[in-house]
Amino acid sequence: MNDQPSIAVGAPEPITPLTDAEKRVIAWLNENSSREAVLADLQDTLQTAIEIELATIPIYLFTYYSINREAASGENLEAPQLFANKAGAVIMSVAVEEMLHMSLSSNVLFALGGTPRHYRRAPGQYPTPLPYHNPVGPKGPDGQTAVLIPLSKLSFEQLWHFLQIEYPEAKDVTPEDRDWDTIGQFYSFIRCLLCTKFLSDADFQRGPAERGIQPGNYSPNNIDTVFPKEKFDPWKTAPPVPLPGWLAKDGHPRAAEIAQFTDCADSHTGPSALLTIATVRKAIKAIDTVCDQGEGAPICGPKVDPDDDLSSLEMSHYQKFLTLQAQFAAYKDTKEDLPPYSDRVAPVEPTVTQSELEAAGLIYNFPDNPTTGIYPIHLWPISAFTSACFQYMLIMTETIYRVPPHQQKLFFNEGLHRSMIWVLDKYIKTIRKIPVGGGKVMAPTFENVDLGPPVTAFAGLTYYGNQAIAAANAILAADPNGPLASVMSDVIYYIGVAISATSADGHPMHLPDVAEYWSEEEA
Amino acid sequence: MRSMRRPGHSPASEAKAVAAAAAAAPSGPGFPIPVPNPYIVDPPAFPEHAQTGVTGMPAHSCMGLNSCRGTDRFGLVGPPGRGPNACAGQGYCATSNNHTCHVQNDCRNQGGCGLYGTAEEMNRPGYNDCRSQGSCATPINAERFSTNGQNQGKSVWARARELFETEVWPALRDELQGKRESGAIPADQPLPETLGKPPAPFTESGPSYLWISSVNADRGAFQACGSSGMSGAGGCS
């Protein structure tokens, strides 16, 4: 094998040294497995990795969208709103990295000649286990040990479920691809497969790297992963330009001066966060980035050697969520089982309570684990479009590998960025204003709806969109000046962005139809 | 008031929102609104729609990024009581289609920047390759800072102006002169000769939210994407 990882540790792009447990597994595989078996196992395990990462994304986004980050801003920020805004930024920062991790596993699988699958591979129902996760875990705040993750609004308990997902790996535990306790253990098994004697760089050149998802499509931070540390003056210009003459120089600081950036540009292994793969070593670096950013990296106690994240400013996912949970008043007396080898985060002041956050209107009252079927029947199409858009995004993700390299950036912007920022984000923030009974409001359901095969999926999306537009128009017709009139207008507008928007000169400004990249025979 | 495109919000509902916001002040961000409004007399009021400018000149994303005489938001007419802008880099605000977010730009060099996008995109505000490749809302309000890349935490407009002076305008000038020589544009069409300073009082900062929006209105009159409340303008929904 080229470029043996066990001996290739060193500057400037080191990778994590193998643990003794990993060395034992590798030795066993070298002795008892075969090249064909390892390659097949690697492809299967990478597809499972994709589905683990994919499972986390609806869970994190659901909770993210339950937060009202903008009830107050600027000089009017008080402790509860500051916490809500921070919670939103932190959860989004983790969701963004889960998308990165899904892309990394996809790129490794593609390099091996595999076909990364995303469409209709999200969890079928909630609460959900993660694929092959040990169903029994450490005790939670309620004394229960089941590892079933719900779609639920922001709460102390939901943050515990996030900790269940991101629970840190103890040092030198046995790598596992089944019944794993931590995601770190699972990825450790992938590292073992990658480090067997059977593989060579040529094995990672079956899918051309130039068709992988390119590094230039990933961004660690955006305006949604940023939060204000304290009150700020919204009139003040961004540095370094001078403040306007009419503005008092004292008072609250500029927004840019108190902005907290939750992800760091250097929190990865290798030359970029998102890697395309053409060698064994690059595949190992991709897995290293996944582990180091969140899943399984011990944050205290038995540490691995530092191997990346030169600034060391970014917290692991586990640490991010634990720090959020530690600001809830309930944290002080929690009975939840935190790992003894991990930092025990001290309570964070000022504390907040669930009732305080809800009373301030900072948490939308989402139902737990909703499906479209629980909503009033006249709202079903409006709910279903959220899932249709989500599924179309997954189809577009699969499609990226088929787009000619010189067109990938444009496809990514017009497909993935537009759908995430301009359709799904705005659509969910619109429908959460719709009451659904029992004091609840509509939440996204992220179901595995069927858009048909990829070649006709845009038509499927359009069908769901037109159904939702018809439902919104019916509500508008029944009560043109009613409280939901502007909400329904926005529903129609954002669906238009997905399926029919055009520029003033007639150019399509909607999501791309992926049909040209698929044949009718492909499911 | 002058409002930007906002789905589901008619001018009438916007006006009500402004009145409600004023009545409820100081509840929202940016209250109290400065009295008197420092931009009510000079500079001229922000025009909601870009006026017709010199033929053949490209649209641009913000104040001080125009390519030639008579090519800013006031076009060939100029602001009330004044003539059109005299030269490149001296104009008032964007002529591109106003848009509020990443990948919504119509053409090259029309993206704003700073809110969404990659490090590379965020380092090139007003300097994107083509349609859908721009990064974020236009115009670029003076309060906006980059959230990613080398310019993280710093003024987006200042970076756009720096790029305009050093890269965008020189390239544009050469391109336009080449077009005139080849006959692609009329021989008598004025071309960029000199690069001027952006108009006061925004010479160093770019246009403030207060000038673009003319009101505060809970930061809803001019929008830029994002949910953190830190874009200096309103969110998108």
Side-chain angles (χ1 to χ4, degrees), chain B residues 28-211:
Chain B
F31 283 102
I33 303 170
V35 178
N37 185 325
Y39 308 126
I40 209 71
V41 177
D42 191 55
F46 178 83
E48 184 174 359
H49 302 292
Q51 306 301 307
T52 303
V54 172
T55 306
M57 293 296 151
H60 57 91
S61 61
C62 202
M63 175 179 288
L65 307 182
N66 60 303
S67 56
C68 193
R69 180 177 70 84
T71 57
D72 75 353
R73 202 171 182 86
F74 291 100
L76 284 165
V77 178
R82 309 180 197 186
N85 72 279
C87 65
Q90 208 188 45
Y92 283 108
C93 239
T95 54
S96 59
N97 177 31
N98 289 332
H99 57 93
T100 59
C101 203
H102 189 54
V103 309
Q104 296 295 82
N105 60 298
D106 281 343
C107 199
R108 72 169 178 157
N109 298 344
Q110 292 183 19
C113 203
L115 308 174
Y116 295 105
T118 64
E120 183 185 7
E121 288 167 337
M122 286 218 196
N123 205 35
R124 292 162 62 90
Y127 194 17
N128 56 286
D129 288 339
C130 63
R131 185 194 300 272
S132 302
Q133 298 282 37
S135 185
C136 294
T138 62
I140 306 169
N141 54 303
E143 299 83 4
R144 191 188 307 172
F145 59 90
S146 299
T147 56
N148 194 26
Q150 294 177 354
N151 202 52
Q152 187 179 73
K154 297 177 187 168
S155 165
V156 176
W157 183 88
R159 174 64 183 152
R161 173 69 189 187
E162 178 189 14
L163 278 172
F164 183 75
E165 291 177 3
T166 58
E167 297 189 46
V168 179
W169 184 68
L172 206 55
R173 183 185 51 192
D174 293 347
E175 180 187 328
L176 290 168
Q177 285 172 341
K179 280 185 177 176
R180 184 159 71 174
E181 287 163 14
S182 69
I185 56 178
D188 59 350
Q189 178 167 313
L191 291 183
E193 299 295 340
T194 56
L195 181 63
K197 286 186 175 181
F202 306 121
T203 307
E204 303 296 328
S205 66
S208 78
Y209 173 85
L210 184 57
W211 179 65

Side-chain angles (χ1 to χ4, degrees), chain A residues 76-147:
Chain A
N76 301 309
L77 288 164
E78 301 295 344
Q81 177 70 80
L82 282 165
F83 173 78
N85 205 334
K86 176 169 68 175
V90 166
I91 294 169
M92 180 54 78
S93 79
V94 173
V96 163
E97 288 191 340
E98 301 298 1
M99 295 173 200
L100 169 66
H101 301 170
M102 188 173 78
S103 301
L104 287 168
S105 291
S106 298
N107 275 357
V108 178
L109 177 55
F110 178 74
L112 283 165
T115 303
R117 299 287 187 193
H118 309 84
Y119 174 43
R120 306 189 75 198
R121 300 297 180 110
Q125 60 181 22
Y126 300 91
T128 183
L130 301 181
Y132 302 116
H133 200 170
N134 182 350
V136 179
K139 208 167 18 174
D142 57 359
Q144 301 299 308
T145 57
V147 184

Side-chain angles (χ1 to χ4, degrees), chain A residues 64 69-70 73-76 85 216-224 226-228 232 234-239 241-242 244 246 255-256 258-259 261 409-410 413-414 417-418 421-422 426 429 433 486 489-490 493-494 503 505 507 509, chain B residues 5 7-8 26-32 34 38-39 100-106 115-118 121 131-133 142-148 152-155 158 204-205 209-210 216 219 225-231 235-237:
Chain A
Y64 174 82
R69 298 181 64 183
E70 296 184 276
S73 185
E75 67 276 64
N76 301 309
N85 205 334
N217 292 316
Y218 177 70
S219 172
N221 272 304
N222 60 57
I223 190 69
D224 292 335
V226 176
F227 69 92
F232 63 91
W235 293 118
K236 287 186 173 172
T237 49
V241 303
W246 53 268
I258 50 85
F261 300 92
K409 180 68 178 169
L410 186 61
N413 273 6
E414 294 187 336
H417 281 212
R418 182 171 286 155
I421 298 168
W422 252 109
K426 304 301 174 291
K429 287 199 282 191
K433 298 171 187 167
S486 68
S489 295
D490 287 357
Y493 174 83
Y494 291 122
S503 66
D505 58 359
H507 185 88
M509 296 291 277
Chain B
R5 171 76 179 92
S27 64
F31 283 102
Y39 308 126
T100 59
C101 203
H102 189 54
V103 309
Q104 296 295 82
N105 60 298
D106 281 343
L115 308 174
Y116 295 105
T118 64
E121 288 167 337
R131 185 194 300 272
S132 302
Q133 298 282 37
E143 299 83 4
R144 191 188 307 172
F145 59 90
S146 299
T147 56
N148 194 26
Q152 187 179 73
K154 297 177 187 168
S155 165
E204 303 296 328
S205 66
Y209 173 85
L210 184 57
N216 194 32
R219 301 268 148 177
C225 271
S227 300
S228 63
M230 301 196 78
S231 70
C236 294
S237 70

Side-chain angles (χ1 to χ4, degrees), chain A residues 45 50 84-85 94 129 132 135-136 142 158 162 196 233 237 257 281 317 322 328 335 350 356 417 448 459 507 513 521:
Chain A
T45 312
I50 291 168
N85 205 334
V94 173
Y132 302 116
V136 179
D142 57 359
Q158 183 67 354
F162 289 4
T196 58
D233 185 339
T237 49
E257 291 169 343
R281 186 177 173 83
H317 295 180
L322 188 58
F328 274 89
K335 301 289 190 292
E356 179 183 27
H417 281 212
N448 285 324
H507 185 88
D513 185 342
E521 291 72 36

Side-chain angles (χ1 to χ4, degrees), chain A residues 103-413:
Chain A
S103 301
L104 287 168
S105 291
S106 298
N107 275 357
V108 178
L109 177 55
F110 178 74
L112 283 165
T115 303
R117 299 287 187 193
H118 309 84
Y119 174 43
R120 306 189 75 198
R121 300 297 180 110
Q125 60 181 22
Y126 300 91
T128 183
L130 301 181
Y132 302 116
H133 200 170
N134 182 350
V136 179
K139 208 167 18 174
D142 57 359
Q144 301 299 308
T145 57
V147 184
L148 283 172
I149 316 296
L151 295 180
S152 191
K153 64 187 178 185
L154 177 68
S155 68
F156 182 81
E157 291 73 21
Q158 183 67 354
L159 287 170
W160 164 252
H161 291 302
F162 289 4
L163 295 177
Q164 286 182 302
I165 295 172
E166 309 286 358
Y167 214 73
E169 176 191 9
K171 184 180 166 92
D172 208 23
V173 293
T174 305
E176 298 282 2
D177 65 338
R178 295 288 186 274
D179 219 27
W180 45 270
D181 292 317
T182 69
I183 295 180
Q185 256 183 304
F186 176 80
Y187 278 103
S188 175
F189 187 78
I190 296 179
R191 276 162 54 83
C192 292
L193 291 170
L194 290 170
C195 294
T196 58
K197 66 182 182 184
F198 305 113
L199 304 181
S200 71
D201 287 350
D203 292 316
F204 294 84
Q205 293 162 8
R206 295 179 182 177
E210 62 268 24
R211 280 189 176 260
I213 306 177
Q214 298 298 307
N217 292 316
Y218 177 70
S219 172
N221 272 304
N222 60 57
I223 190 69
D224 292 335
T225 65
V226 176
F227 69 92
K229 185 175 66 176
E230 57 189 86
K231 296 174 188 240
F232 63 91
D233 185 339
W235 293 118
K236 287 186 173 172
T237 49
V241 303
L243 296 174
W246 53 268
L247 197 62
K249 299 296 184 288
D250 54 3
H252 299 303
R254 308 176 195 227
E257 291 169 343
I258 50 85
Q260 305 294 294
F261 300 92
T262 46
D263 284 336
C264 295
D266 65 354
S267 68
H268 56 80
T269 306
S272 58
L274 182 49
L275 293 171
T276 54
I277 311 298
T279 65
V280 179
R281 186 177 173 83
K282 275 240 179 153
I284 294 170
K285 285 180 182 177
I287 302 304
D288 253 13
T289 290
V290 174
C291 292
D292 291 352
Q293 286 184 342
E295 289 87 356
I299 58 173
C300 189
K303 285 180 182 294
V304 297
D305 292 338
D307 69 332
D308 76 329
D309 192 5
L310 299 177
S311 67
S312 296
L313 291 174
E314 184 173 315
M315 291 191 281
S316 71
H317 295 180
Y318 174 81
Q319 197 176 18
K320 283 178 176 178
F321 290 143
L322 188 58
T323 303
L324 278 185
Q325 206 197 29
Q327 199 165 344
F328 274 89
Y331 177 77
K332 188 164 64 71
D333 301 317
T334 184
K335 301 289 190 292
E336 66 193 22
D337 228 352
L338 297 177
Y341 46 83
S342 170
D343 276 336
R344 181 90 198 184
V345 172
V348 176
E349 300 287 343
T351 57
V352 295
T353 64
Q354 190 73 16
S355 57
E356 179 183 27
L357 293 171
E358 292 183 2
L362 302 177
I363 299 179
Y364 286 89
N365 196 15
F366 281 1
D368 285 341
N369 308 309
T371 61
T372 287
I374 73 161
Y375 295 136
I377 193 166
H378 69 288
L379 296 174
W380 284 4
I382 293 172
S383 168
F385 181 75
T386 318
S387 298
C389 182
F390 174 56
Q391 292 303 322
Y392 196 70
M393 292 170 72
L394 299 179
I395 291 173
M396 289 191 290
T397 306
E398 291 183 7
T399 305
I400 289 170
Y401 294 96
R402 296 160 179 254
V403 175
H406 70 282
Q407 295 174 356
Q408 188 189 99
K409 180 68 178 169
L410 186 61
F411 179 86
F412 203 94
N413 273 6

